[in-house]
Amino acid sequence: MATENEAQGPNASDYIKHHLVHFNSSGHKQEKLVDFHIINYDTVFYSASVGLIAVLLMAIAARKATSGVPGRFQSMVEMLFEMVADQAKSLIHSRESRKFVAPLGLTVFMWILFMNAMDFLPVDLLPRIWSDLVGPVFGIDPHHAYQRVVPTADLNGTLGMSIGVLLVTLYYNVKIKGLGGFAHELIAAPFGDKWFLAPFNFALTMIEFLAKTVSHGMRLFGNMFAGELIFMLIALLGAAWTGPNAGSIALWLAGVVAGSAWAIFHIMVILLQAFIFMMLTLVYVGQAHEGH
Amino acid sequence: MNLNATLVAQIVVFFVLAWFTMKFVWPPLEKALDERAKKIADGLAAADKAKTDLTLAEKRVGEELKKARESAADVRGGAEKQATSIVEEARAEAARIVAAARAAAEVEAAAVVQRAKEDLRGQVAELAVAGAERILRREIDAKAHADLLSNLKQELS
C-alpha cells in the first residue's frame, strides 16, 4: 500500500516487472519454468524469519503460561491454541497423531498469517531499503537489486508447505495402514478391489494426491500473489506524480483511498487463507487416517 | 511463478518450525490449559461440596437448636415444679410453726390464767376472811368457824 515514488523509471510495466523478480542465486530473472540450480534468497529469508518470529512469540507465551489467571497475550495465544486443538480433535481421531499434527496446524496457521502480513508493509519499503541501502554494501547494482517480501506470493513457498503436508499425509497413511495396507489401498480404491480396476484406481489416487497438493499450494499463492499485485498497481497511482498539479493530487488521493480499502479487505484475506490452509492440512492428515 | 530449489528449503523450514512448535510451544500450553481446567473443575466441585456441607450444617444447627429449646423447657418445667414444691413445703412448715406457737401460747396463757385465778381466789378468800374478821372480830372465833371458812373457800373456787 505504498505511495512512494519509484525511481526505477516512470514506466508502469517496468515497475511491476521489477517487483516480480526474486532476489535469487542467479542474480537475474529465472528463465526456465523449473530450475533447481536457483534458490530465491528473499523467500527463504523472509519465510524463515517470520516463521521464527511466529514460533518464538508462541514459545514465549508457552514458557510463561501458567494455570492461573492468564494475561492478555497469554489469552490470545491460548485462544489460537484452543481453536487449532478443537479443529484437530474433530478432524483427527487418533490422540497419538494429534501430538504432532495439532502443533503442525498451529505452526502453519501462525506462520502463514505472519508471511501473508508482510503484504501490509509498503510495497516499496523493503525493496528500496535493499536496492538503495543494503544491496550496495554487498556490491549489488541497484537497478538489478530485486526483492520480494511476501514468501506466500512465491509459488515455491506455498508449494513447499503443501508438499510438506503431502509428506505428512503419506507418513500417516503408511503408519496407520502399514506399507502393505497403503499399497493395497492405492490400487483398490476408489473403484473397487478388482484386478482389472487396479490401474485406474492407482491413476486416480495419484491424481487425487497431486490435485490436493497443487490446489493446496496454489490457492494460497494465487490469493497472495493477486493481493501483492493489486498493492503494486495501487502504488502506481502515487508513482504517477508529476508535480503539484490537480491530476497528480487526484491520483495520489485515489491511491490513498484504494490502498487503505484494499489493505483493510486484505486483513480478512490473509486470515482466511491462513485458516483455510491450516484446515486443509488437518483435513488431509485426517483423511490419511481413514480407509477408503 | 517459477519453481526452484526454494521449494526444498521451504519444506525443510516447514518441518523445523513444526518440530519446534511440537517441542516447545504445544506441550506447555496444553499443560497450562489442562491444569487450569482441572483447577476450575476442582473449584466447582469444592463449591458444590461446600454448599451441601452448609445445608447439612444448617440442618444440624436447626436440630441442635430444637433440642436445646426442648431441654431448656424441661429444665424450666422442673425448676418451676421444684420451686412450687419448695414454696409449698415452706408454707406447710410455716403453718405448722404458727400452729405450734399458737398452741404453746394458748397453753401458757391458760396456765397463766389458771394461776392468776388461783392467786385471785386465794387473795379473795383471804380478803373475805380478813374483811369478815374485821367485821366480826369479836363474834367470830377463827377456830370455831374454820369449817365454815373452808366451805366458803371451796365454793369460791
Side-chain angles (χ1 to χ4, degrees):
Chain A
M1 60 185 226
T3 49
E4 286 170 45
N5 270 334
E6 174 58 31
Q8 209 63 39
N11 190 328
S13 165
D14 285 348
Y15 171 80
I16 298 282
K17 273 184 192 160
H18 182 84
H19 264 285
L20 291 181
V21 177
H22 280 285
F23 170 47
N24 58 29
S25 52
S26 72
H28 54 77
K29 190 177 181 341
Q30 184 178 337
E31 301 299 339
K32 283 189 270 180
L33 185 63
V34 180
D35 186 351
F36 277 95
H37 295 104
I38 296 175
I39 185 163
N40 294 339
Y41 294 138
D42 48 6
T43 299
V44 175
F45 173 74
Y46 289 117
S47 91
S49 305
V50 298
L52 216 58
I53 291 171
V55 294
L56 285 180
L57 266 179
M58 291 192 294
I60 290 169
R63 200 188 176 81
K64 289 198 227 150
T66 62
S67 54
V69 179
R72 285 180 178 170
F73 177 57
Q74 195 190 330
S75 297
M76 190 192 71
V77 176
E78 279 173 5
M79 276 162 73
L80 287 169
F81 176 98
E82 289 285 354
M83 186 265 290
V84 178
D86 285 350
Q87 300 291 358
K89 222 170 266 179
S90 66
L91 290 168
I92 298 157
H93 302 303
S94 160
R95 195 179 166 74
E96 190 58 33
S97 302
R98 276 208 302 271
K99 277 185 188 162
F100 172 65
V101 181
L104 176 75
L106 181 62
T107 314
V108 160
F109 179 74
M110 287 299 281
W111 188 24
I112 293 176
L113 188 64
F114 274 49
M115 287 194 288
N116 289 353
M118 291 295 284
D119 237 355
F120 291 125
L121 294 174
V123 284
D124 279 311
L125 180 65
L126 290 173
R128 280 301 283 272
I129 288 173
W130 173 248
S131 66
D132 293 4
L133 296 173
V134 184
V137 176
F138 296 99
I140 289 164
D141 172 20
H143 290 281
H144 294 98
Y146 304 109
Q147 192 83 193
R148 287 185 64 186
V149 300
V150 187
T152 42
D154 178 0
L155 190 56
N156 290 297
T158 60
L159 269 188
M161 289 185 293
S162 66
I163 291 172
V165 173
L166 174 72
L167 294 177
V168 173
T169 60
L170 291 178
Y171 168 77
Y172 279 109
N173 262 315
V174 172
K175 191 187 172 197
I176 302 292
K177 298 159 189 163
L179 203 55
F182 180 48
H184 180 255
E185 193 184 280
L186 286 181
I187 56 168
F191 294 126
D193 192 5
K194 298 273 188 330
W195 63 268
F196 56 89
L197 288 176
F200 303 106
N201 283 331
F202 185 73
L204 203 78
T205 315
M206 286 301 114
I207 290 171
E208 190 188 327
F209 275 121
L210 190 71
K212 269 184 191 171
T213 302
V214 171
S215 68
H216 199 190
M218 275 290 199
R219 180 181 299 108
L220 178 58
F221 161 75
N223 274 281
M224 298 321 297
F225 186 81
E228 198 192 18
L229 205 59
I230 287 172
F231 276 127
M232 287 175 203
L233 293 173
I234 290 167
L236 278 174
L237 292 171
W241 186 267
T242 53
N245 53 51
S248 290
I249 290 168
L251 280 178
W252 182 83
L253 281 175
V256 171
V257 172
S260 309
W262 181 244
I264 290 164
F265 178 65
H266 210 56
I267 293 172
M268 193 191 79
V269 173
I270 67 164
L271 260 171
L272 201 62
Q273 288 304 322
F275 182 71
I276 288 171
F277 199 100
M278 180 205 80
M279 283 301 286
L280 285 176
T281 300
L282 296 176
V283 167
Y284 291 161
V285 176
Q287 279 176 352
H289 286 70
E290 291 153 12
H292 273 282
Chain B
M1 43 179 288
N2 303 305
L3 289 176
N4 57 32
T6 312
L7 196 68
V8 181
Q10 187 77 353
I11 294 173
V12 173
V13 174
F14 175 86
F15 281 109
V16 169
L17 291 178
W19 170 81
F20 183 89
T21 310
M22 181 183 75
K23 199 87 183 159
F24 300 109
V25 176
W26 197 267
L29 280 175
E30 196 171 38
K31 192 165 149 265
L33 287 173
D34 286 353
E35 265 172 23
R36 190 178 309 145
K38 194 175 169 300
K39 244 187 212 175
I40 292 170
D42 286 353
L44 288 177
D48 263 0
K49 194 175 167 295
K51 216 191 253 172
T52 332
D53 284 357
L54 182 65
T55 324
L56 281 177
E58 269 172 1
K59 214 166 128 196
R60 211 165 51 224
V61 165
E63 275 167 12
E64 291 288 333
L65 217 61
K66 210 171 128 200
K67 227 183 275 170
R69 218 171 268 148
E70 275 168 7
S71 79
D74 278 358
V75 167
R76 201 164 48 219
E80 266 169 13
K81 214 186 271 172
Q82 206 176 348
T84 319
S85 78
I86 287 171
V87 168
E88 286 299 319
E89 266 170 35
R91 201 169 278 155
E93 176 84 12
R96 205 164 57 238
I97 289 169
V98 167
R102 186 177 292 152
E106 272 172 4
V107 168
E108 204 174 328
V112 167
V113 166
Q114 191 61 34
R115 210 160 43 237
K117 265 184 187 165
E118 275 173 14
D119 280 359
L120 218 54
R121 203 182 290 139
Q123 280 169 8
V124 166
E126 274 170 21
L127 275 175
V129 171
E133 217 175 38
R134 245 178 229 171
I135 299 164
L136 306 172
R137 182 140 325 233
R138 279 149 241 160
E139 290 151 54
I140 296 172
D141 183 358
K143 279 177 195 158
H145 298 88
D147 287 341
L148 192 77
L149 283 172
S150 138
N151 283 345
L152 186 70
K153 208 174 173 180
Q154 218 124 49
E155 265 166 49
L156 284 169
S157 68

